Amino acid sequence: MTVGVLVVFWVVVGVGVVLVAMSATRRRHAGGKESKTTTRATVLAVVAAFVLLGGVVPALVMITNADDDAEARGGVDLTAAQVEGRQLFAQHCSQCHTLAASNAVGTIGPNLDTLRPNEELVLNAIEQGRARGRGQMPAQVVTGTDAEDVASYVAAVAGR
């Protein structure tokens, strides 16, 4: 929906610019001078466009996207700990593992969407590491509550 609104907005802005340019061109060809009112209106329109584009549109995008952090692909509502786990997964795990919810497409480690591990298995793999002949996952890539957050996130979103 946001993309559609932006497209409509830019089409309206483009049409407005074309109409203003055509109006100014007609006046110049008719030998007329622009009045102070027209000049002021043009300046105000440009300032309004800058304020709208530089402030209002970004603010609206931020407001409409405010809840995106709490939702992963597939509509899974994430807890605050799982949101933190998603960020940690992106930093430490996404290079090796595939996980659609994080847009991770690593090929060294197992595809977590296919494996769909539970929280305990993920936590064990993080704590103990893994080696299956194709590479090795080092033990304790993340530790403590960070490891628990990653495990909780992966278990919540893998394969969904």
Side-chain angles (χ1 to χ4, degrees), residues 127-160:
E127 291 173 350
Q128 303 296 317
R130 293 288 189 265
R132 296 209 175 163
R134 290 184 21 209
Q136 182 169 346
M137 179 176 158
Q140 299 185 0
V141 174
V142 291
T143 59
T145 57
D146 288 348
E148 293 171 8
D149 293 348
V150 171
S152 177
Y153 168 67
V154 170
V157 301
R160 290 171 183 76

Side-chain angles (χ1 to χ4, degrees), residues 72-73 76 78 82 99-102 113 152-160:
R73 182 174 292 173
V76 176
L78 301 177
Q82 290 169 336
L99 184 62
S102 288
D113 288 317
S152 177
Y153 168 67
V154 170
V157 301
R160 290 171 183 76

Side-chain angles (χ1 to χ4, degrees), residues 98-124:
T98 295
L99 184 62
S102 288
N103 294 323
V105 292
T107 57
I108 296 170
N111 180 330
L112 298 173
D113 288 317
T114 303
L115 187 60
R116 294 187 72 170
N118 62 33
E119 190 170 338
E120 293 77 24
L121 181 61
V122 176
L123 191 55
N124 180 269

